[in-house]
Amino acid sequence: MKDNVIEFIRDYYQTKDFIPLHEPRFNAREEELVLNTIKSTFVSSVGKYVDEFENRLTDYTKSTKTIAVVNGTSALYAALYHCGVGVNDIVITQALTFIATANAVNQLNAQCAFVDVSKDTLGMCPNSLSEFLESNAVLREDNQCYLKSTGQRIKAVVPMHTFGHSVEIDKIVEVCDYWHLNLVEDAAESLGSYYKGQHTGTFGHYGAISFNGNKVITTGGGGAILCRSEQDGIELKHLTTTAKQPHAYKFFHDKAGFNFRMPNLNAALGCAQLEKLSDFVSNKRALAGEYEKLLAKSPYLFVKEPRDCHSNYWLNAIICEDINERNEFLEHTNKQGVMTRPVWELMTDLPMYEECITNNLENSRWFAQRLVNLPSSVML
Ligand SMILES: *Cc1c(COP(=O)(O)O)cnc(C)c1O
C-alpha cells in the first residue's frame, strides 16, 4: 500500500524528482506586481499594496478590520498583547500545535496551560477546555478568571485550526464567554476554511493568519490579524506600526509600539496570491477527495474535514495504526523522495514547556504517535 501511495503522488504531480510537502505556486501575475513595486521604489513601509492586501482580506474573510504584519507569530503576539496578556498571566492553548502558538505566549512573559485536542477535529476540544477550567479556575468578584492554585490571572484562550480543519469554535466561544476569557484564534493554517459558513479566525476577538512560504498562499514571510471590533483594529494598526501619530514631519509616538508592519514588497506578492486563493482551495479539496478514495481500502485512515467545516485542506493527513506503522511509512516514503512528515511533538514534551500546567492529553498523545502529513501542494 505504501508503494500505491507513492505511485499515486508521483502520478498526480507528474514528476520523478523529489516531491516536497507543500510548495508555493506563482505565475506572471506575482512577477508583475512584485516588479511594479521594485520599479516604484516603494518596497518598504510606504505603498499601496499593504492597504489593498488588508482590504481584500477583509472582503474575503468578512472580518471587521484586517492588519497585515511581518509573520503569523507576530500576529498572535500583537493580538494577545492587545488582550492585556502580560507577565505571569496564563493563556490556555492546545498541546498539539506548531511551536509558534506557545512561543507567542512565552514572548509576552506569560505561561501556557495546555488542554487536549478533539478526536473529531484535531484542534482544541471544547470539553477538555471546559473541564480544565471547572477543575482549575475560579471567577472572582472582580469578574476576572484566576488559576485557583496560584492566583494567576487566566487571560485568554488560543485554539488552533489544525491543517485547516476548524475546531468546534461556537462551543469554545461559549466557554470563553462563561469564564470571561479573551479568544484569539490561531488561524495560521486555515485561510479559506469555514465553520458553519463563517470564516475561521472571525469568531474570536482576533484571528491570526500566516503567509509563510508553506501556507495556502504566501507573501514570502507575513501574517495578518483579523479583528472583530473596528476600534480594536484601529488600535492594533497603530500599535504594530510604532504607534506614531500621523504628521507630515514630526515624530511623536504615544506608546511603546512594535515594528510589525508588512513591507509593501511582500504585500504585492500577497495581492497576486489572493486572486488565486479560491482556485487553490478548490484544487486542494479535489486532491483531498482523491487521497480519500485511494486510502479507503488501506490500513491508513484519511483525515477528513470535520462536521460543519468547509476545510482548505492545507495539509492532507493520515492516521497510522500505531507508531511502528507510522515510522515505517515515514522511512519508506522519504527514502523514495516523497516527503511526508510526522505531526509536531506535543508542546509538553519540549524542554521549555514541560513544566506547564495541563489537562489530560490522551487524544493529543494518540495523534502524536500516528499522524503523518502527505504532499499537498496545489497542482494546476
Ligand atoms: C505557520 C503557523 C504560525 C505562524 O507562523 P509564522 O511562520 O510566524 O508566519 C502559527 N501557528 C501555526 C499553527 C502555524 O502553523
Side-chain angles (χ1 to χ4, degrees):
M1 190 60 209
K2 292 184 196 66
D3 288 318
N4 292 355
V5 177
I6 291 171
E7 193 188 321
F8 166 82
I9 293 169
R10 290 218 169 275
D11 257 17
Y12 186 81
Y13 288 109
Q14 293 174 19
T15 176
K16 294 198 165 58
D17 300 336
F18 172 76
I19 298 174
L21 203 63
H22 202 288
E23 53 183 350
R25 299 284 184 230
F26 305 127
N27 64 14
R29 184 63 174 158
E30 278 79 4
E31 284 178 27
E32 181 194 340
L33 295 197
V34 171
L35 207 57
N36 280 349
T37 320
I38 292 171
K39 283 180 181 156
S40 76
T41 77
F42 290 108
V43 293
S44 186
S45 52
V46 178
K48 64 173 183 178
Y49 286 118
V50 176
D51 291 342
E52 200 172 314
F53 189 51
E54 290 178 341
N55 290 337
R56 288 212 217 148
L57 280 168
T58 299
D59 288 345
Y60 187 91
T61 61
K62 304 213 164 51
S63 68
T64 307
K65 196 168 163 62
T66 307
I67 296 147
V69 292
V70 285
N71 55 50
T73 311
S74 61
L76 282 170
Y77 176 95
L80 288 168
Y81 178 91
H82 199 251
C83 289
V85 173
V87 180
N88 251 336
D89 289 333
I90 303 276
V91 174
I92 304 173
T93 186
Q94 61 203 52
L96 186 72
T97 185
F98 177 58
I99 192 74
T101 321
N103 283 348
V105 174
N106 187 60
Q107 280 158 19
L108 286 156
N109 294 309
Q111 287 167 18
C112 291
F114 296 106
V115 298
D116 207 4
V117 296
S118 147
K119 270 244 163 121
D120 303 326
T121 69
L122 308 185
M124 182 180 280
C125 170
N127 295 335
S128 179
L129 173 66
S130 179
E131 242 175 63
F132 175 85
L133 288 161
E134 292 291 343
S135 344
N136 297 290
V138 58
L139 267 181
R140 292 201 189 144
E141 285 99 83
D142 60 0
N143 259 330
Q144 316 250 25
C145 186
Y146 291 85
L147 195 65
K148 275 194 270 192
S149 56
T150 62
Q152 286 166 284
R153 277 279 308 273
I154 306 177
K155 279 267 176 68
V157 174
V158 186
M160 195 278 278
H161 303 289
T162 306
F163 307 149
H165 305 312
S166 76
V167 300
E168 289 179 283
I169 191 69
D170 49 358
K171 292 188 183 161
I172 292 175
V173 167
E174 255 178 53
V175 178
C176 289
D177 285 349
Y178 177 83
W179 290 96
H180 298 240
L181 295 169
N182 295 293
L183 176 55
V184 175
E185 295 174 69
D186 185 341
E189 304 179 354
S190 67
L191 181 65
S193 299
Y194 294 80
Y195 181 74
K196 295 185 179 171
Q198 185 178 335
H199 197 279
T200 52
T202 64
F203 291 81
H205 299 89
Y206 301 108
I209 307 266
S210 169
F211 304 106
N212 192 38
N214 62 343
K215 295 287 162 47
V216 183
I217 62 166
T218 185
T219 60
I225 311 163
L226 307 179
C227 306
R228 197 172 65 192
S229 129
E230 177 84 25
Q231 187 53 36
D232 286 344
I234 292 167
E235 286 173 26
L236 258 178
K237 179 74 186 182
H238 185 63
L239 196 66
T240 53
T241 55
T242 70
K244 183 182 178 294
Q245 288 194 350
H247 192 279
Y249 49 83
K250 266 206 227 162
F251 282 106
F252 189 79
H253 305 260
D254 54 27
K255 282 192 179 68
F258 314 129
N259 178 17
F260 284 173
R261 181 201 296 273
M262 175 183 280
N264 201 43
L265 192 61
N266 301 77
L269 188 57
C271 285
Q273 287 268 283
L274 256 188
E275 291 173 7
K276 303 183 164 82
L277 178 56
S278 296
D279 286 344
F280 281 7
V281 172
S282 310
N283 192 278
K284 291 168 77 62
R285 290 180 60 80
L287 171 59
E290 298 207 26
Y291 270 133
E292 187 184 347
K293 254 190 281 165
L294 172 79
L295 294 161
K297 289 191 200 80
S298 81
Y300 309 109
L301 191 64
F302 180 71
V303 175
K304 281 192 273 186
E305 64 191 348
R307 206 165 38 132
D308 297 323
C309 168
H310 188 270
S311 177
N312 67 7
Y313 278 97
W314 170 53
L315 284 187
N316 288 289
I318 56 170
I319 298 167
C320 301
E321 268 172 36
D322 56 34
I323 193 165
N324 297 326
E325 253 307 311
R326 181 202 71 172
N327 292 344
E328 277 173 31
F329 189 91
L330 288 169
E331 269 299 307
H332 193 75
T333 47
N334 281 290
K335 226 182 240 162
Q336 308 280 323
V338 171
M339 185 174 171
T340 61
R341 214 177 49 180
V343 75
W344 317 283
E345 298 281 334
L346 297 191
M347 295 302 106
T348 48
D349 290 341
L350 302 176
M352 56 290 188
Y353 299 120
E354 67 187 4
E355 304 278 294
C356 291
I357 176 167
T358 79
N359 206 22
N360 176 339
L361 300 176
E362 196 182 327
N363 293 341
S364 305
R365 294 210 177 283
W366 193 86
F367 281 127
Q369 300 190 339
R370 290 170 178 81
L371 272 176
V372 171
N373 287 125
L374 304 177
S376 302
S377 309
V378 165
M379 179 70 188
L380 291 171

